[in-house]
Amino acid sequence: MPAGADLSARLQQPLTLVHIENADSWEAARAVAQAIQRLAACPVAVSGRFQHLGKSAGWSRIPLQPFEENAALDQLGQELELGAPAAAKDYGKLVRALGYLPLAIHLAAGHLRAGRSVAGFLSLLRQKDLHLKHPDPADPNRLLSATFELSLDLLRGQLGTDADRLLPAFHALGHGPASGFGASLGAALAELNAADFEELAVQAHTLSLLDRVPEGESWRLHPLLAELLRPRAEEAAVLARMTGWFLERLPEDTAGQEAKQGRCWDEIHREQAALVEWLARVPEADWVRVERAGSWFAMLNGPFSAWLNFCERALRHELGDAGKSNFLWTASNVAMSAGLLDRTLVLARHKAELDQSRGEEREAALALGRIADVCQARGQLDEALRIRQEEELPVYERLGDVRSRAVTLGRIADVYQARGQLDEALRIRQEEQLPVYERLGDVRERAVTLGRIADVYQARGQLDEALRIRQEEELPVYERLGDVRERAVTLGKIADVYQARGQLDEALRIRQEEELPVYERLGDVRSRAVTLGRIADVYQARGQLDEALRIRQEEELPVYERLGDVRSRAVTLGRIADVYQARGQLDEALRIRQEEQLPVYERLGDVRERAVTLGQIADVYQARGQLDEALRIRQEEELPVYERLGDVRSRAVTLGKIADVYQARGQLDEALRIRQEEELPVYERLQSARDLLICRAKIGINYLARGAAGDREQALVLLNLALQDAQQLQLPEAEQIAGIIRQVENGPAPVQHE
């Protein structure tokens, strides 16, 4: 995707207002107009003092009056910390001479704080204004330039004998990131040690030449001052120093140096805005070095759009086969991290073809693995598994690459887990993956694998163990490594546990305050949309159906449509159908599932999601009382798929739904037989605690509905056992089961529950 189109798409989702300031001349206005043409459909606000700005283009214009004297005196009083507007007569003379320009007043305040009188400042200003050769005498910035020059002269005086050394260093900051820079990066740009940079920054700040960024401990030059300073320093030299600063911190460190890597990556995270600016300015001579040093950081931490644009800019030039392969690898990984599946597939296929043609089988296998990742993300599990087992894994085994073999086995386990074959997934992770990373001392991959093991426990309902692994063994590693994306993913999984337990407020807090902002900062639009979907899940669980529906329709669905992610769009439509079903709007829920969801999975060849959707269609028929059609779908179209896939858990769940139909029909003995002989043993074998307690509770309700001799006693045993497990797991079902037990104990009537 071209950089302009990528930027335009990013600014539309989430919708972002672009503010371009200081359009103060014909040249600036012309450049702004060209930029806006490339950002069509994006909201843009332009501010400046050029009187004809936007007239010929037909822009909506809002003329603003400059400061009046009272407002200017109020600003000056705040700058001088007087506690009130500056009321002395000479202050009025000062702000009038400065044309009430806020920036000029800000600079003048620095002189007054340094001990200069109003009369002395105005005298110097007149002298400076007379000899300053500004290209446009009518430009209002002429006065500001004169004020800047005065402040630079005063800075020279305050620096004393160090002025000849430190003032050129200050000029170099004009080529620094417009967003600002921390002390470490600033010292590198100025080519100073930490102590000298601090002295320079403090002196310049005193004179209002260098501002503190309110959000953090960093510095920023006003854009007009930066424009004035740039011709006085060599841009290439400053950019080379910025490149050196990032290259020193980007590489993944060796085993045992995780704490050092974490410190380095934390520094880069604090300079994220500067990183984006730098990637757009890296000289061609440094492209290869930057890609090699930053590949791992890029795919883990982003910002993904900035790294993808950097890689694709380089790929449009001659790199040589090896360099091109490396850039394709980084670009495909970054695109995958950003959720751009189509772009990932194009890049990965290009890399696979290139590497196969040059006989680099390991590199080609890596590309094939990325293609399998896309298949897996789209639900094409059979094809993903085939690629991994037949085309990827044999290469690593032949080459003796134990680490890549372990990674691929983990991906194979992902497929088994997606199919519900939890035992095999867990075995691979515990016996074939984890020991390799422990032997290699690879703490990051060990943490990732432990997280996947926690996924299995979570799927089984063993929430305490899943939560312990995430909080004690996984999260601290990512925090130590400075891996902000994996930290956010792990926090999302922790929120899943709280949500499963019914602790909805804490789940919502984590998603809104700790997870979502990370994806927004990284530019990971797909993960942002997925997280918004999880937030909608919480609202739905709370019964706030309108807000859940709004998020899905207005903030989640449009992202997948723009990305061309038809599978995620279909999944989201299914969630929308869930809301309609919860509202009792069964016809609309059925229409979505039959007309908009099911055809997508059939077209994709995603047999598992097709079966899941058919099961949801059966739910609607069952809710309508059309029990025969619900039973037919489950027995003829849903159950055989899970049996063919070997998805034992989904098969057991479906058998439980078949038992629900028999129970609703009054065929209580057959319902009881299915639950006891075909459903319960599966959950016991899988150690799926949540499924197990729900099944026991349903068997208990089945006994109560049947009402034969001894059924009431057996029902209470099973219900109390289910209650004990639900309370231990802190599940919301505990309250419902306790209510059933109270109802049984307080009256003789049989109980019917879903």
Side-chain angles (χ1 to χ4, degrees):
M1 182 184 290
D6 188 49
L7 176 61
S8 178
R10 160 58 187 87
L11 294 172
Q12 291 176 61
Q13 189 61 245
L15 194 62
T16 305
L17 174 65
V18 179
H19 177 205
I20 304 173
E21 58 181 349
N22 299 322
D24 296 335
S25 64
W26 273 111
E27 291 76 13
R30 190 176 297 112
V32 169
Q34 291 171 351
I36 288 176
Q37 285 177 355
R38 300 182 66 184
L39 298 178
C42 300
V44 182
V46 183
S47 58
R49 301 182 185 89
F50 181 58
Q51 296 301 309
H52 301 287
L53 185 63
K55 272 188 178 179
S56 60
W59 297 352
S60 298
R61 300 173 78 248
I62 306 174
L64 298 177
Q65 296 299 317
F67 263 11
E68 295 181 349
E69 189 160 320
N70 287 342
L73 291 172
D74 183 50
Q75 179 195 339
L76 185 61
Q78 292 180 41
E79 297 269 6
L80 297 176
E81 299 181 354
L82 299 177
K89 290 182 180 179
D90 55 350
Y91 288 145
K93 184 178 179 181
L94 172 67
V95 296
R96 285 192 294 275
L98 295 175
Y100 308 131
L101 295 173
L103 180 56
I105 294 168
H106 177 63
L107 292 164
H111 286 257
L112 301 184
R113 286 196 302 269
R116 181 162 281 155
S117 67
V118 171
F121 174 78
L122 291 177
S123 174
L124 287 171
L125 183 63
R126 282 191 294 273
Q127 294 173 32
K128 182 64 66 174
D129 199 23
L130 288 174
H131 82 258
L132 184 69
K133 294 181 180 179
H134 196 279
D136 182 3
D139 191 329
N141 288 334
R142 183 170 184 263
L143 178 60
L144 289 174
S145 298
T147 311
F148 278 134
E149 292 290 357
L150 271 182
S151 297
L152 290 169
D153 283 349
L154 185 56
L155 178 61
R156 173 179 288 279
Q158 292 195 175
L159 293 173
T161 57
D162 289 327
D164 289 342
R165 182 170 59 87
L166 296 183
L167 204 57
F170 185 71
H171 296 161
L173 298 179
H175 292 293
S179 55
F181 40 83
S184 175
L185 179 56
L189 296 172
E191 205 173 11
L192 296 173
N193 61 43
D196 283 345
F197 178 77
E198 182 177 332
E199 176 62 21
L200 175 63
V202 168
Q203 294 289 357
H205 180 57
T206 302
L207 296 172
S208 303
L209 286 168
L210 195 61
D211 292 327
R212 275 285 194 187
V213 178
E215 298 82 29
E217 296 182 0
S218 56
W219 304 94
R220 181 167 57 202
L221 285 174
H222 192 281
L224 293 177
L225 176 56
E227 184 180 339
L228 183 71
L229 295 179
R230 280 196 285 272
R232 307 179 188 188
E234 184 186 350
E235 181 179 9
V238 179
L239 189 54
R241 294 196 287 271
M242 182 155 54
T243 297
W245 189 89
F246 279 110
L247 285 178
E248 184 181 342
R249 291 160 176 77
L250 278 171
E252 181 192 18
D253 241 310
T254 55
Q257 298 295 312
E258 292 82 15
K260 177 173 175 271
Q261 177 188 303
R263 289 192 298 271
C264 288
W265 283 12
D266 281 342
E267 283 193 81
I268 297 175
H269 295 321
R270 290 195 292 271
E271 299 287 2
Q272 188 174 51
L275 174 64
V276 173
E277 291 189 48
W278 169 67
L279 285 170
R281 296 170 64 189
V282 174
E284 183 175 350
D286 291 324
W287 285 348
V288 172
R289 283 200 306 150
V290 170
E291 185 277 330
R292 285 295 78 198
S295 180
W296 194 247
F297 181 94
M299 65 183 76
L300 293 176
N301 295 301
F304 302 127
S305 60
W307 280 103
L308 190 56
N309 287 337
F310 164 72
C311 290
E312 295 193 326
R313 186 169 76 251
L315 285 166
R316 290 192 289 270
H317 293 74
E318 181 55 47
L319 295 166
D321 285 350
K324 190 173 185 179
S325 174
N326 288 336
F327 269 95
L328 286 167
W329 173 243
T330 299
S332 65
N333 275 283
V334 171
M336 187 74 193
S337 296
L340 305 173
L341 301 185
D342 287 344
R343 189 64 193 141
T344 303
L345 202 56
V346 169
L347 293 161
R349 283 174 175 165
H350 192 174
K351 176 177 167 60
E353 291 167 5
L354 173 65
D355 292 329
Q356 284 164 351
S357 70
R358 65 195 190 103
E360 291 289 343
E361 60 175 347
R362 184 183 183 279
E363 291 296 321
L366 289 171
L368 289 168
R370 182 54 71 222
I371 292 169
D373 290 339
V374 175
C375 293
Q376 193 162 331
R378 288 177 166 167
Q380 298 165 305
L381 301 183
D382 288 347
E383 178 60 8
L385 190 60
R386 186 198 66 76
I387 291 172
R388 298 203 190 284
Q389 291 180 325
E390 297 178 16
E391 298 191 58
E392 190 182 3
L393 194 64
V395 173
Y396 303 134
E397 290 176 337
R398 190 165 59 251
L399 294 175
D401 185 344
V402 292
R403 188 182 185 281
S404 296
R405 179 182 181 273
V407 170
T408 307
L409 284 168
R411 301 283 190 267
I412 289 170
D414 290 340
V415 176
Y416 287 127
Q417 194 160 331
R419 285 175 161 178
Q421 295 170 268
L422 302 182
D423 287 348
E424 180 58 10
L426 189 62
R427 185 199 67 76
I428 289 172
R429 300 199 191 287
Q430 290 178 325
E431 297 178 16
E432 299 199 60
Q433 244 194 313
L434 199 62
V436 173
Y437 300 134
E438 289 175 340
R439 193 165 63 248
L440 292 174
D442 189 336
V443 294
R444 187 185 182 282
E445 286 302 326
R446 179 182 182 273
V448 170
T449 306
L450 285 168
R452 300 288 188 267
I453 289 170
D455 289 341
V456 175
Y457 288 128
Q458 197 159 329
R460 284 175 163 177
Q462 295 170 270
L463 302 183
D464 287 346
E465 180 58 10
L467 189 62
R468 184 199 67 76
I469 289 173
R470 299 202 191 287
Q471 290 178 325
E472 297 178 15
E473 299 199 62
E474 194 179 2
L475 195 64
V477 173
Y478 301 136
E479 290 174 338
R480 193 164 69 247
L481 290 173
D483 188 340
V484 292
R485 189 177 190 281
E486 284 302 325
R487 179 182 183 274
V489 169
T490 306
L491 285 167
K493 298 281 185 71
I494 289 171
D496 290 340
V497 175
Y498 288 126
Q499 196 161 331
R501 285 176 165 175
Q503 296 171 267
L504 301 181
D505 289 346
E506 179 59 7
L508 189 62
R509 184 199 67 77
I510 290 173
R511 298 203 190 284
Q512 291 179 324
E513 298 178 15
E514 301 198 63
E515 193 180 2
L516 193 66
V518 173
Y519 300 134
E520 290 175 338
R521 193 167 66 249
L522 291 176
D524 185 346
V525 291
R526 191 178 188 284
S527 293
R528 178 184 182 273
V530 169
T531 305
L532 285 168
R534 300 281 189 270
I535 289 170
D537 290 340
V538 176
Y539 286 125
Q540 194 162 333
R542 281 175 160 179
Q544 295 170 270
L545 301 183
D546 288 345
E547 180 60 8
L549 190 62
R550 184 198 68 77
I551 291 172
R552 298 202 192 283
Q553 291 178 324
E554 298 178 16
E555 299 197 63
E556 190 181 4
L557 196 64
V559 174
Y560 302 134
E561 290 174 340
R562 194 177 72 250
L563 291 173
D565 187 345
V566 292
R567 186 179 185 279
S568 294
R569 179 183 182 273
V571 170
T572 305
L573 285 167
R575 300 281 191 270
I576 290 170
D578 291 340
V579 176
Y580 287 126
Q581 196 161 333
R583 282 175 164 177
Q585 296 170 270
L586 300 182
D587 288 347
E588 180 59 9
L590 187 62
R591 185 198 68 78
I592 290 173
R593 299 204 192 282
Q594 289 179 325
E595 297 178 16
E596 300 198 62
Q597 239 191 317
L598 197 63
V600 173
Y601 300 135
E602 289 174 340
R603 192 166 64 250
L604 290 174
D606 188 340
V607 293
R608 189 180 189 283
E609 282 303 323
R610 178 182 181 274
V612 170
T613 306
L614 285 167
Q616 292 166 330
I617 289 170
D619 291 339
V620 176
Y621 286 128
Q622 194 161 334
R624 282 174 162 179
Q626 296 171 268
L627 301 183
D628 288 347
E629 180 59 9
L631 188 61
R632 185 198 68 76
I633 291 173
R634 299 205 191 281
Q635 290 179 325
E636 297 178 15
E637 300 198 61
E638 190 181 4
L639 195 64
V641 173
Y642 300 134
E643 290 174 340
R644 193 166 64 250
L645 290 174
D647 187 342
V648 290
R649 183 183 177 275
S650 294
R651 178 183 182 274
V653 170
T654 306
L655 284 166
K657 297 243 180 121
I658 289 170
D660 291 340
V661 175
Y662 285 127
Q663 191 162 334
R665 280 175 160 181
Q667 296 171 269
L668 302 180
D669 287 342
E670 179 59 10
L672 193 59
R673 185 198 68 75
I674 290 173
R675 296 197 198 285
Q676 290 178 320
E677 297 178 15
E678 299 197 62
E679 189 183 4
L680 191 69
V682 174
Y683 301 142
E684 289 174 338
R685 190 170 68 253
L686 291 176
Q687 301 176 46
S688 186
R690 187 172 184 274
D691 290 325
L692 193 58
L693 73 90
I694 290 172
C695 186
R696 283 173 176 155
K698 285 193 170 187
I699 292 171
I701 293 167
N702 211 147
Y703 276 127
L704 292 171
R706 192 173 68 173
D711 279 357
R712 182 176 182 277
E713 290 70 22
Q714 288 194 66
L716 283 172
V717 169
L718 288 166
L719 288 167
N720 278 295
L721 187 58
L723 175 62
Q724 181 182 337
D725 290 342
Q727 289 172 335
Q728 184 178 351
L729 295 171
Q730 301 177 48
L731 294 175
E733 284 85 359
E735 185 176 346
Q736 186 180 3
I737 295 169
I740 295 170
I741 292 171
R742 285 194 298 272
Q743 187 178 348
V744 173
E745 290 176 337
N746 293 334
V751 183
Q752 285 279 358
H753 285 273
E754 283 294 321

